[in-house]
Amino acid sequence: MPLAQYFVNSLIVAVSATVLSVLVAVFASYALSRWKFPGSGSFKSAVLATQMFPGILFLLPLYLLFVYADQNLGTDLVGTRAGLIVTYLTFSLPFAVWMLVGYFDTVPRDLDEAAKVDGAGPLRTLLQIIVPAATPGIVAVCIYAFMTAWGEVLFASVLTDTQTRTLAVGLQAYSTEANVYWNQVMAASLVVSLPVVAGFLLLQRFLITGFTAGAVK
């Protein structure tokens, strides 16, 4: 399979996992930040605790779950992009939720009160007031989620086939028992790094400063 197809697979998987992670994390984090309910503290601790375990511990359980879903639910997840997206979502989402909860906590609650006075409901307040104020934190989460999915090798090696192989795994094709094609490896490595570097250059202005300073007069 040509390198271009590996690039397309990686881009689709990484972008999809990033978008899903951010969408779910924004709503979950806003709820955890603004409303206290029984078990909310334990839930946040459990989310953080998931980061204590190395990813390789989840490889076999995820694979068995995917096989079970294929055999009993008719959902084909092994060897597909969808399975890889779900896998990367399980890694990036807990960190994204934890990070955004902390960032939403720094957004003044006076903004919520002001929006409520103007007749805005919770959803409108989140989308029109809180999300613009928390843009730097959301961008940081986007970068983390994208990098997690873009350069991952272990799960992509097991859960993909020749048609869904990602770019990071495809680099292995340039190394054989007899020889290593260093020219192709270096060229492909440059292609792998370009999206991440371009993303940082385009989004770095959102990471420099927050938008909440002076938001409440």
Side-chain angles (χ1 to χ4, degrees), residues 14-31:
V15 171
S16 300
T18 300
V19 172
L20 290 175
S21 297
V22 172
L23 284 177
V24 176
V26 165
F27 288 99
S29 302
Y30 182 67

Side-chain angles (χ1 to χ4, degrees), residues 137-199:
I138 295 174
V139 169
V141 169
C142 287
I143 293 176
Y144 168 80
F146 184 86
M147 291 180 61
T148 300
W150 182 259
E152 202 278 329
V153 175
L154 176 62
F155 287 84
S157 300
V158 177
L159 300 176
T160 59
D161 55 22
T162 56
Q163 299 299 319
T164 58
R165 188 168 297 161
T166 60
L167 190 58
V169 179
L171 292 177
Q172 299 176 359
Y174 297 114
S175 177
T176 64
E177 296 181 359
N179 192 16
V180 177
Y181 302 94
W182 292 109
N183 294 338
Q184 289 86 340
V185 170
M186 295 304 297
S189 299
L190 179 62
V191 174
V192 171
S193 62
L194 281 178
V196 178
V197 174

Side-chain angles (χ1 to χ4, degrees), residues 15-207:
V15 171
S16 300
T18 300
V19 172
L20 290 175
S21 297
V22 172
L23 284 177
V24 176
V26 165
F27 288 99
S29 302
Y30 182 67
L32 291 171
S33 174
R34 289 303 192 260
W35 292 284
K36 303 301 179 183
F37 51 88
S40 60
S42 300
F43 178 77
K44 288 190 287 187
S45 299
V47 169
L48 182 61
T50 60
Q51 304 301 304
M52 298 171 56
F53 304 99
I56 193 172
L57 291 180
F58 301 99
L59 179 58
L60 181 58
L62 276 174
Y63 183 82
L64 294 178
L65 285 174
F66 288 173
V67 171
Y68 177 85
D70 185 17
Q71 294 177 349
N72 297 275
L73 303 177
T75 304
D76 191 10
L77 294 176
V78 177
T80 63
R81 294 171 180 167
L84 210 54
I85 292 171
V86 172
T87 300
Y88 294 150
L89 188 62
T90 61
F91 294 121
S92 59
L93 186 56
F95 180 83
V97 170
W98 179 262
M99 184 173 180
L100 285 182
V101 166
Y103 203 93
F104 284 161
D105 286 341
T106 66
V107 177
R109 294 179 181 270
D110 293 346
L111 292 175
D112 299 66
E113 298 299 328
K116 187 182 296 184
V117 170
D118 291 337
L123 181 59
R124 181 181 173 187
T125 301
L126 171 63
L127 297 179
Q128 296 186 0
I129 305 298
I130 305 302
V131 168
T135 299
I138 295 174
V139 169
V141 169
C142 287
I143 293 176
Y144 168 80
F146 184 86
M147 291 180 61
T148 300
W150 182 259
E152 202 278 329
V153 175
L154 176 62
F155 287 84
S157 300
V158 177
L159 300 176
T160 59
D161 55 22
T162 56
Q163 299 299 319
T164 58
R165 188 168 297 161
T166 60
L167 190 58
V169 179
L171 292 177
Q172 299 176 359
Y174 297 114
S175 177
T176 64
E177 296 181 359
N179 192 16
V180 177
Y181 302 94
W182 292 109
N183 294 338
Q184 289 86 340
V185 170
M186 295 304 297
S189 299
L190 179 62
V191 174
V192 171
S193 62
L194 281 178
V196 178
V197 174
F200 270 113
L201 293 178
L202 292 174
L203 301 175
Q204 64 177 345
R205 63 190 182 95
F206 293 105
L207 304 176

